[in-house]
Every structure is written in C-alpha cells, then in structure tokens.
Amino acid sequence: MTIANPIYDSVFKFLMEDERVAKTILSALLKKDIVKVEVRPHEYSNSQRDSLSMFRIDFAATVREEDGNKRMILIEVQKTWLETETLRFRQYLGVQYQRKENIIADSKEGYAMPMVAVYILGHRVGDIDEAVLYVHHEAYDYDNQRVTKGIPNPFVDSLTHDSIIVQIPLLHGQINNRLDKVLSVFDQTLHLPESEHFLNFDESRYQDDEDMQPILHRLLMAASDADTRQDMNVEDEYYSIIEKRDTEIMLNARKIAEQNVELSEQRAQLSEQRAQLSEQQAQLSEQRTQLSEQQAQLSEQQSQLKTFASLLMDSGWSVDDIATKMNMTPEQIKKLLS
C-alpha cells in the first residue's frame, strides 16, 4: 500500500481533521481513554508561512480518568520539519495561556483547562535516544518529597502543563506497544526511493486493528488527492528555499565568527605590541635617567679637577708639574683651566 507521508503539513492536517483518527492518535500519545475530541476552530494551521514551518492544531478533548470521572483537557499539537528555536514554541503556548476560551466555563475562580503540549519533530533533540519523551509536572515540598494529597489541583493545572515530544527520525518501524503501532505511519525509512511524498506501507500488519484502518484509509485518500499532492510539492519548494536561506545564514554566521576570531587575534597582537612598546619606552626612560646621572657625576668630577688644578696653579706649580701630579697631559690641564 502506498500512503501519503504525514510528515507533510498538508497530509497531517488532512489526517487529523478526521475525529476518529485524531482520537486514536491522541489516545495513544496521552495513554488515556479519550471519549471525545474536537478541533479548536481558532487555530488550524499557519494561514501564512513564517520564517520556519510550525504547523499547529488545537484540540479540546474529553478524557475518562482511571477513576471513571471525565474531564476536559486542551491538547496543543505543534509539528515542525526543521530545527526551530524553543522561543517559537513558548510564544505559542503563551498565547494559549492567555486565551479566555481555555477557561473552564463553570469555574468561578477562572481555572483553565489542563493542557498537554505535543511536539512532533522532524529532527532529533540533542542526544536523547527515546523516540517519544514524556515530561510530567509534579509537586514537591521543601524536603523534596512528592506531594500527592490534593493533586491534581485545578489551580496548579492552570499554571503548568505536561509535554510529549516525538522525534520522528527515531521511529524505525519496531512495534513494541500501542503508541509504536500508531506512530509507525510516520516512519520515514518507508518512503519511496523516488519520492518522499509517499510511504510504502505493509497494511497486512494492521488488518486486525479496527482503529488503524481509518488512519491508513485517510492516508491512502491523501495519496490519491491531486490537491494534497500539489500542496506537498509546494512544501518541498518552500523548504528548499528555507534550507537554502538557512545554509546561507549558517555560512555567513560561520564567516563572521571566523572574522571575529581573526579580529580578536589581531587585537591581542596589537595589545601585545603596545605592551612591548610601553616596556621599551620605560627602558629608554630609565636609560636616559642613568645617562643624566652619569653626566651629572662627570660634571662634578670635572669641577673637582678644575678646583684642584687651580689651587696648584695658585701655589706656583707649573702646568707640566700639575699634569704630572694629576696624571694628565699639559694640554688637558690647559683646557681644564681655560
């Protein structure tokens, strides 16, 4: 069986529009009995493409808990092909926290519906090797002991949420549980060699599964729908442009980083040269000080010699006798006394 690849936004949207399919997929993800699920009409998907793809779809689900009670929860599904900064996810969650539609209708205190954020990623998250990661919020006291009395609590649930992260590249067709079976339709190792638009699926593995049949049927319909195939072509072109742009940005960022390193090295060299110059100037200043001291000493010695020669001359000594006495030549004595 050849089915459409649900990693494409157009196919994923078509798949999740079916209530039974959405209930099957979300029940497997949440590991809960979802009695009813409705698509929130305010945010189907990106009506306009932004810089990076982030397909969004919201569900209001009625969940039957283990004690038999039913409660409403909000499920935020965000799907992206490319690595996206977490700020974009946080911004969208922030919008959901602010929406008045997410407040429980009969809540006098204004409590919000509990929310679960589901991230379906076309890339890996760091070194995490789990295909599906569950992140639950829990309450602890000061001594780090888990608090269970009174939990869950509508006030706490209004301010925190659980998350489920699906790493599509780690889905390799091994089916160990119900969720593996449902998510197997996202296994990218099954795409056709000539086209990533379609997956080559062995439907015989799911013949006895009444919940999987609508999923496969829905993807089979998408594969034969001309508009959906055209939308996939448009997505390919779009992502090609985005990847080209991101590559240019990455190369420019790398070039800027290299230039910054070179500039830093040049600044370090200049600083070192300035330090050497400053040291040389200090040495030159010291040498000048020493020379000045030597000149002062020499001038004082000359003055002493002149005084001594003058005394001898006044005492009647001849120039030759003074020269002999002072171990100098007559010419030096004459110059000294001039």
Side-chain angles (χ1 to χ4, degrees), residues 196-260:
E196 294 185 359
H197 292 183
F198 306 103
L199 305 179
N200 188 12
F201 217 76
D202 183 7
E203 71 275 20
S204 64
R205 303 170 66 185
Y206 309 96
Q207 287 181 351
D208 59 344
D209 194 321
E210 294 182 357
D211 290 328
M212 286 299 298
Q213 292 303 314
I215 296 177
L216 298 179
H217 178 69
R218 194 77 177 169
L219 293 175
L220 184 61
M221 289 176 57
S224 60
D225 183 74
D227 290 338
T228 302
R229 292 199 303 271
Q230 177 58 29
D231 287 342
M232 286 191 283
N233 289 328
V234 172
E235 287 186 48
D236 282 340
E237 294 176 3
Y238 170 75
Y239 285 113
S240 176
I241 295 173
I242 290 297
E243 289 174 351
K244 181 180 178 181
R245 186 210 64 179
D246 288 349
T247 300
E248 292 177 353
I249 292 175
M250 180 183 66
L251 292 176
N252 289 336
R254 183 181 301 171
K255 184 177 180 180
I256 291 173
E258 292 174 352
Q259 291 174 344
N260 287 338

Side-chain angles (χ1 to χ4, degrees), residues 30-151:
L30 272 64
K31 296 186 288 187
K32 290 182 178 293
D33 179 16
I34 295 182
V35 179
K36 183 180 179 181
V37 63
E38 295 180 358
V39 176
R40 303 293 293 272
H42 61 269
E43 186 71 22
Y44 237 103
S45 66
N46 289 352
S47 58
Q48 294 181 347
R49 293 287 187 178
D50 44 23
S51 58
L52 288 176
S53 171
M54 186 184 294
F55 180 88
R56 309 178 182 100
I57 185 168
D58 309 336
F59 297 93
T62 302
V63 177
R64 181 184 289 111
E65 300 292 356
E66 294 180 358
D67 58 6
N69 291 325
K70 297 179 183 179
R71 66 168 180 160
M72 289 281 292
I73 66 171
L74 180 65
I75 304 174
E76 307 291 340
V77 179
Q78 302 190 49
K79 184 184 75 68
T80 179
W81 273 29
L82 307 176
E83 294 192 30
T84 306
E85 67 272 19
T86 56
L87 177 61
R88 299 171 68 81
F89 290 127
R90 290 171 61 87
Q91 287 173 336
Y92 184 62
L93 286 172
V95 171
Q96 299 311 305
Y97 271 105
Q98 297 177 31
R99 297 189 73 91
K100 295 182 179 179
E101 294 87 344
N102 297 335
I103 302 298
I104 299 174
D106 58 352
S107 172
K108 296 180 180 179
E109 298 84 356
Y111 293 140
M113 284 190 291
M115 182 168 62
V116 179
V118 179
Y119 305 101
I120 301 178
L121 309 179
H123 59 86
R124 293 194 57 175
V125 178
D127 297 326
I128 299 175
D129 292 328
E130 299 297 327
V132 183
L133 187 68
Y134 288 86
V135 183
H136 295 298
H137 70 273
E138 295 179 344
Y140 296 87
D141 63 14
Y142 180 80
D143 297 318
N144 206 32
Q145 299 297 314
R146 185 179 175 187
V147 176
T148 57
K149 184 179 179 180
I151 301 296

Side-chain angles (χ1 to χ4, degrees), residues 146-182:
R146 185 179 175 187
V147 176
T148 57
K149 184 179 179 180
I151 301 296
N153 176 274
F155 178 82
V156 176
D157 290 340
S158 295
L159 300 175
T160 56
H161 68 273
D162 293 339
S163 298
I164 304 172
I165 301 172
V166 179
Q167 301 185 82
I168 292 178
L170 296 180
L171 300 174
H172 300 309
Q174 295 184 358
I175 299 177
N176 301 313
N177 52 53
R178 180 62 180 170
L179 181 58
D180 287 345
K181 195 172 189 179
V182 170

